[in-house]
Amino acid sequence: MSKIRVRFAPSPTGYLHLGSLRTALYDYVYARKMGGTFVLRIEDTDQTRLVEDSVDNLITSLATLGIDYDEGPHKDGGFGPYFQSQRLPLYMKHALELIEKGHAYHCFCSKETLDQMREEQVGTHNNMKYDGRCSRLSKDEVTARLLNGEPHVIRMKVPKHQSFVFDDIIRGRVDIESDLIDDQVIIKSDGFPTYHLAAVVDDHYMEITDVIRGEEWLSSTPKHIFLHESLGWTPPHWVHLPLLLGTDRSKMSKRQGDVAVESYLSKGYLKEAIINFVALLGWHPAGDKEIFSLEEMISEFDFAHVNKAGAIFDVTKLDWMNGQYIRSLPLEYIADCSRTYFLEAGFDISDHGKYLKVVDKSRNYVSILSLITDYAAKFYIFPKIKETDKDFLTSASSQKVLSYFCDRLRIKYNWTKDELAELVSKGIEELEIKGKQYYQPLNLALWGETSGPDIPTALDILGTEETIKRFQAIMK
RNA sequence: GACCCCAUCGUCUAUCGGUUAGGACUCCAGAUUUUCAUUCUGGCAAGAGGGGUUCAAUUCCCCUUGGGGUCGCCA
């Protein structure tokens, strides 16, 4: 058996779709698992949809996520170029070869003609397809019109009364009648190939063994098989993944909300969580394990455990999983990922020791990292005391608590967390007051709110100086 | 409309003929916590319907229903 070669073949439309990410992930994991090669190929055959910088974006996003390709742009593996726009002559050559063999033909029908044809077919109890009129043109007429410079495309000529049968790795046997298949355009009037031709030609020349793609391609697979066979090639294995669905159960798309991986990344979803979560949409490892790394996925991945049914992308569980990662990944790493949000909020995080403590405490309160500053703010922003709380804070009892702490804290500069814990528990004994009378003024003075982190941790993070400053601000 | 694919808690899923149908998210309750968050414990919640095959069907087959995909000179 030959070595596995798989490809991820996005079209550069500006961002990495969550569904594409999952496909890329399965490609990557499968290649790693099998000791195969993962190829990145850019399908930029639609000149009308080119988005500037999107290829760089895509490559950056994949790199950020840790999904490395073995061959592709900037990584020549001897099968390049990896941009379809740079392989045009190859597609044309095979399109002409197909014409020669009688498997394709020139078509001169205008857009208007085609629109009208479709309109006439609406309501018919049939599949809508091209009626094949140009396939019946005489050779002489074709030559004449070509010479005359008439705009034209090349269409595949699908045989009648035949059936295309193939075995999908996930779905098993699929059988489709050739009469249902349209004479699909393979070369557009601008000379560019359509997806169908380009993908088939490239898959062949790049020696792709397994085509892993979304289920939306299932019904056009016969066209691809037809092209492979007409060209005398052996088709690859087909692996059609279940679709990623929006909450309305339809194919996940931009208009249902965020589908760009980049936007999840910038909102503060960790790559570990995104990958873990997306992987689970359609696949699951043995047992009840739900949190796993890319490495673990590689060792356990198997198409036999990929589902057939589409999966709804429910962000609620992603939030939970992201929270799990925020809390369990190394503190320095989380601090690193959070930095940008703190800077955006304008917090002075030059004191790295304090910053780490803040992150360590705050990470318990968020499931999306961009929101970490909501909680962390209390450690960086001086509290505003509400008018309604002032009476309580200036009461003799409250003042006693605050001055108790100011007095003790002033003794030295460096308090350990244990010492602070001891101080706090000793304080409530020595002052002989109830919990509420004790903690309420401290919380209010510290944050302007009645709740907050436990006091020893709070004082440890804030530091002696800042703590005293906050207390003194409301002491008479 | 035609064709193709699919069908277990609200959601992601386990089960590859015999289970009290398991786990996770969400939600609810309790414990821990001065409070909040975290964490822990417990609870609610599912085999679309109808036929077969079988000693036995969620599991295999068929039909119905439901959902999705495709039907572009887009991928």
Side-chain angles (χ1 to χ4, degrees):
Chain A
M1 205 179 154
S2 61
K3 238 181 133 194
I4 293 293
R5 288 176 59 85
V6 296
R7 44 69 161 186
F8 174 52
S11 58
T13 49
Y15 60 93
L16 181 59
H17 186 107
L18 280 165
S20 304
L21 165 64
R22 194 195 52 179
T23 305
L25 184 61
Y26 288 3
D27 271 314
Y28 170 79
V29 165
Y30 184 61
R32 285 289 166 280
K33 165 114 192 169
M34 305 300 287
T37 305
F38 176 35
V39 179
L40 175 64
R41 183 174 75 216
I42 306 299
E43 312 232 319
D44 54 351
T45 54
D46 186 352
Q47 292 300 290
T48 64
R49 292 209 311 179
L50 289 185
V51 178
E52 193 137 352
D53 293 335
S54 57
V55 173
D56 288 341
N57 259 344
L58 197 86
I59 291 174
T60 308
S61 295
L62 288 175
T64 303
L65 292 157
I67 301 175
D68 304 315
Y69 55 90
D70 305 304
E71 274 179 35
H74 317 305
K75 267 193 185 175
D76 190 12
F79 292 88
Y82 297 91
F83 288 86
Q84 291 187 326
S85 59
Q86 294 169 20
R87 303 167 64 85
L88 264 22
L90 189 61
Y91 308 127
M92 188 54 87
K93 175 186 152 193
H94 288 295
L96 296 175
E97 180 188 339
L98 285 167
I99 292 177
E100 210 163 293
K101 288 179 170 170
H103 298 307
Y105 57 90
H106 291 279
C107 172
F108 301 91
C109 292
S110 67
K111 188 177 181 305
E112 290 69 35
T113 309
L114 295 171
D115 285 346
Q116 197 190 336
M117 201 181 295
R118 278 188 204 104
E119 207 159 307
E120 282 164 8
Q121 287 180 43
V122 174
T124 322
H125 290 277
N126 268 320
N127 220 348
M128 285 192 269
K129 48 183 275 202
Y130 179 64
D131 64 8
R133 63 181 70 169
C134 285
S135 69
R136 293 183 287 272
L137 260 28
S138 74
K139 219 171 181 175
D140 290 344
E141 185 177 352
V142 171
T143 314
R145 293 175 75 166
L146 248 26
L147 247 31
N148 198 28
E150 279 189 45
H152 62 277
V153 300
I154 298 177
R155 288 179 182 275
M156 58 172 83
K157 189 174 184 178
V158 181
K160 304 286 171 221
H161 318 309
Q162 199 179 300
S163 78
F164 288 105
V165 182
F166 60 99
D167 274 296
D168 187 274
I169 301 284
I170 292 177
R171 274 144 231 285
R173 183 190 158 99
V174 180
D175 191 332
I176 298 177
E177 283 300 307
S178 70
D179 293 3
L180 266 0
I181 300 164
D182 201 2
D183 279 359
Q184 187 64 239
V185 171
I186 54 175
I187 297 281
K188 302 180 244 188
S189 53
D190 63 1
F192 277 71
T194 56
Y195 170 86
H196 306 283
L197 211 221
V200 164
V201 169
D202 288 344
D203 286 342
H204 173 73
Y205 280 99
M206 295 183 180
E207 296 177 17
I208 300 303
T209 55
D210 300 78
V211 168
I212 302 168
R213 62 198 343 184
E215 197 196 324
E216 69 262 36
W217 293 108
L218 191 60
S219 35
S220 38
T221 302
K223 292 172 185 170
H224 306 154
I225 292 172
F226 169 70
L227 289 174
H228 271 105
E229 289 177 345
S230 299
L231 259 2
W233 302 336
T234 308
H237 298 299
W238 307 101
V239 185
H240 288 96
L241 265 20
L243 255 19
L244 242 47
L245 275 22
T247 41
D248 65 353
R249 303 209 74 95
S250 70
K251 194 165 83 168
M252 212 185 174
S253 72
K254 213 191 233 167
R255 53 172 310 242
Q256 300 163 1
D258 258 322
V259 292
V261 173
E262 292 83 351
S263 101
Y264 284 87
L265 248 15
S266 70
K267 267 192 270 184
Y269 288 93
L270 298 168
K271 64 173 200 231
E272 291 82 355
I274 296 175
I275 285 177
N276 192 158
F277 180 69
V278 165
L280 244 18
L281 260 23
W283 172 81
H284 78 95
D288 289 333
K289 187 166 64 173
E290 293 214 285
I291 302 287
F292 50 83
S293 65
L294 205 44
E295 287 66 37
E296 289 172 300
M297 190 179 168
I298 290 167
S299 74
E300 295 184 42
F301 188 77
D302 182 359
F303 280 122
H305 288 103
V306 173
N307 277 303
K308 294 187 178 84
I312 293 176
F313 182 92
D314 181 6
V315 79
T316 316
K317 191 160 181 176
L318 205 211
D319 286 347
W320 165 78
M321 192 172 278
N322 201 46
Q324 293 295 305
Y325 277 104
I326 288 175
R327 262 155 251 137
S328 63
L329 256 13
L331 177 59
E332 283 281 3
Y333 175 71
I334 298 300
D336 220 45
C337 296
S338 308
R339 180 161 290 112
T340 157
Y341 305 114
F342 279 78
L343 295 176
E344 265 170 39
F347 298 160
D348 173 17
I349 57 170
S350 55
D351 179 345
H352 191 63
K354 175 180 174 181
Y355 175 59
L356 285 183
K357 286 177 182 174
V358 170
V359 171
D360 198 26
K361 186 66 188 172
S362 306
R363 79 208 291 204
N364 290 310
Y365 291 80
V366 288
S367 56
I368 302 172
L369 219 43
S370 61
L371 265 27
I372 195 171
T373 49
D374 288 356
Y375 188 82
K378 51 167 55 68
F379 300 110
Y380 289 104
I381 294 175
F382 208 79
K384 278 198 186 73
I385 308 299
K386 291 192 207 88
E387 282 304 320
T388 47
D389 290 327
K390 283 191 175 157
D391 282 349
F392 175 71
L393 279 170
T394 51
S395 70
S397 161
S398 297
Q399 290 288 316
K400 209 166 85 184
V401 176
L402 298 179
S403 59
Y404 177 88
F405 272 90
C406 280
D407 292 346
R408 305 300 132 111
L409 252 19
R410 251 194 280 268
I411 296 169
K412 60 176 193 164
Y413 190 79
N414 289 315
W415 290 78
T416 66
K417 204 170 156 185
D418 286 342
E419 289 168 340
L420 289 166
E422 206 187 318
L423 176 70
V424 171
S425 58
K426 226 162 84 185
I428 195 163
E429 281 172 33
E430 290 183 8
L431 290 168
E432 294 181 323
I433 53 173
K434 291 230 173 72
K436 194 180 171 187
Q437 301 296 308
Y438 185 61
Y439 289 106
Q440 202 92 296
L442 292 174
N443 276 321
L444 246 16
L446 252 15
W447 333 109
E449 291 165 18
T450 49
S451 75
D454 61 286
I455 301 298
T457 303
L459 302 196
D460 180 48
I461 294 173
L462 247 22
T464 315
E465 199 180 336
E466 174 73 10
T467 303
I468 293 173
K469 226 156 83 186
R470 291 189 183 196
F471 285 163
Q472 277 181 333
I474 41 146
M475 282 172 68
K476 289 187 218 165

